[in-house]
Every structure is written in structure tokens, then in C-alpha cells.
Amino acid sequence: MTVLEQQGEQARVAAKRLATASTRRKNKALLSMAEAIGLRRKEWLAANEVDITKAREDGMSEPMLDRLKLTDARIDGIIRGIREVVELPDPIGCEYDEVIRPNGLKIVKRSVPLGVIAIIYEARPNVTVDAAALTLKSGNAVILRGGKEAIESNKAVIKIMRAAIEAAGLPADCVQLVASTDRESANELMHLNQYVDVLIPRGGRGLIRSVVANAGVPVIRTGEGVCHVYIDEDADLEMGAKILYNAKCQRPSVCNAAECVIVHESVLEAFFKEALPLLDEKKTILRCDERALAVLGDRAVPATEEDWDTEYGNYTLAVKTVDSLEEAIAFIDAHTTGHSEAIVTENDEHAAEFLNRIDAAAVYVNASTRFTDGGEFGLGAEIGISTQKMHARGPMGLKELTSYKYVVVGAGQVRE
């Protein structure tokens, strides 16, 4: 039996106990985790500094370093996130869609955990804690496989959390980390059919597509984000500039950041008079079609076909010019990853058309795509942003980490 198979077997055993744990017991474990992280934060910060130093030596970009870096303020936010999960309703054991059949059978759906969840993700140590908190509260055991860039950070916080969970009376194996970061470990985890009920990849396009193409266990596709902001001919251009700046520049490395702005030709020049001063603050590279290049001149560079499908993760923005809302919708349809799409307009008919026709997990009118987030949606922390339609879509909170079973109660009925 391989190390991963052993972890899978341990996760199965832990999941059985966790599935029937009381809300009080699970919340006690979560509070224990939050307290332990606060008390032992220096260990976590020291381990993170090792990762940061190595990542800099390897040439990691500044936006990606920002995703990797921990600070006292970020750890405080992570602890708050755990405590917010404690305050959320327990998603397990809820009953709904009750029916009484003509023969007297009472049939009801009851929410249950998914079981053992595996998560493959990249250089974000906060994901390690978010995933542990959400899976524990929803009664699932989790096997985490982070990227090599965050391995020391992940090992440190997993050690802290496992001790805290065990101290609260639940199995430490509710939360496990794959220590190896080589490709073979990811491949083995993707085929751990005997133990893993569902696999969730969280990261860039390459990671997600590789998992979807190669996994032998059910996959919930998350995180791939080529998000668009469309500036309509009837937009408030000052508002649009501020929304675009937030969507692109507030944190460009995350999946809900905008990668392409689509601008109606009639407002192209006026819009960039508002937007350029903001985008210049971050020295944003603009990769433009011919009409936008004619307006922006030396401030921009020509776009290629590849740019319309690129998730940059940095201060680079594609710019597409269109002649109509219809053309904007068609362009989004051709290039969306189904994550988050936004229109800026004062035209109610255009807003309604956009909302009705755009097929994405989150569709916005006059707001930044950066709001596609479990916390911002009131779901607490999230396990990821699902860009598919089966089972879960959008921010995956506690409810999305459950399934259900039919509970049928009779009084001696037999089928004729």
C-alpha cells in the first residue's frame, strides 16, 4: 500500500466518524483550530518566509508572491474566517422536499456529507485553512495537495490544525496533507477511486485542465477565470473606469480579476480618458485590437488571438472594441470560462439582456467581478468558484459540500 493509499484509508475512517459528529463537536474543533493558529502564528510565518525566499530565488512574479505571502493581518483574517464558519448553520442533517405518497410512505431528502474530498491547489496557504474549516464543518474528510511553492507553509499549518482537531475530540485524519509535490503524487491522487469521492482542483487554467483531462475520480471544476467587463454605449464612464480598475488591479492574481475589457466603439476614447490614469497607477499593460490601438497609440501593444483566452494573473489587460451589445455578448460567449462577467450601463434594457443571455456562474451589472467570493456572498469561506453546472456553481460554501439521501418511512407497505 502506498503512502497516499494509506492516507485515503485513514480519511475514509475519519470521514465515517465526522459524518455523525454533532454541530457542537465540529464547532469546538474549529474554534480550537482558530485559537491554535493564533497562538502558533510565528511558526507559520517562519515557514512561509522559507517559501517566499525560495519563490523569489526561482523568479516568481510579484502578484504570485503576493498570493503566497502571509502577514499578521492576513492570518488575523484567516482566523476570522474560521470563526465565521463556526457561526454558519450546520449543513448536515437538514431535511427538505418532504412528500407523503398515496400509500402512506413518507419520503424526505436529508443532507449528508460528500465523504472524502481531495483538493489540488497552487501557491495560496490560506486555501489550506479555508478548505480544512469548510470540509470539517460540512462533515467531510479532506486530503490536501498544495503546490511546491507553499509546501513549508502548508506543512506548518497542517501540523497546527491536526493537533487542534485531535484535542477537540475528532480524528486528526479529518485533515491530511500530501507531503510530496511531484507530478506523480498528483496523478495518484487523481486516481484514488477507492477512497476519494470527489476531487476539486483550484488554481490556474493549466492545473484545472490537466486535472479534468486526467482524473479518474469525479471532479468539480473551479477557478479558471477569464473574466470580462463590458463598457456599454450607455455607461457611466467614470463608474466604469473605477469598476475596471478594481476588477483588474485590486488583486490581479486571483480568478475573479478581469482579464479583458470590452468597450463600445462610441465611447472608446472618452472611456480611456477616465480609465487610463487609474490603470497607469499599476503600469497596466494594454493588449489591444486595431481600433483601440488607434486611440491609445504608444500606450498600448497589439493583441493576438491568444490574448482573448489568456488568464494573465498580472497587470496585463486585453482590450476589445465592439459596435453593439450583441457583438459584446457574442465575444464573451466565444471566450468566457464561465466564471464572472460584468456590464457597466445605465440602460435597463441592455442590463436585462446581458443578465439573461450571459452564461456564467456570476453575472454583474455595474459592479466589479471581484465580488465573486464566498465571503462577499455571505457564504463564509469558500472551497473554490465552480465554473460548471453539475451539483455546484459559483462560490462553493458549506451547502455545496453536501449531497443528500432519501429517507423513506413506512408502516408495513409493500409494492404490488
Side-chain angles (χ1 to χ4, degrees), residues 186-202:
N187 186 61
E188 185 179 357
L189 187 58
M190 284 188 265
H191 293 87
L192 215 60
N193 307 61
Q194 187 176 351
Y195 305 106
V196 173
D197 292 291
V198 65
L199 173 62
I200 302 173
R202 181 168 174 173

Side-chain angles (χ1 to χ4, degrees), residues 307-366:
D307 284 307
W308 309 133
D309 298 298
T310 298
E311 187 175 6
Y312 301 107
N314 57 30
Y315 295 110
T316 303
L317 180 69
V319 182
K320 174 69 176 177
T321 311
V322 296
D323 292 315
S324 65
L325 172 63
E326 184 70 29
E327 187 180 350
I329 291 173
F331 181 82
I332 292 172
D333 283 347
H335 300 283
T336 186
T337 55
H339 193 298
S340 301
E341 308 293 357
I343 183 173
V344 180
T345 187
E346 298 297 295
N347 186 315
D348 291 342
E349 290 183 4
H350 287 189
E353 184 82 356
F354 191 88
L355 290 176
N356 289 337
R357 292 178 58 191
I358 292 295
D359 186 16
V363 189
Y364 292 84
V365 174
N366 296 333

Side-chain angles (χ1 to χ4, degrees), residues 370-396:
R370 286 282 290 113
F371 284 105
T372 308
D373 175 85
E376 295 293 338
F377 280 17
L379 305 176
E382 71 186 32
I383 212 78
I385 309 294
S386 171
T387 56
Q388 64 182 39
K389 299 181 183 180
M390 298 295 288
H391 171 64
R393 197 178 198 193
M396 293 183 62

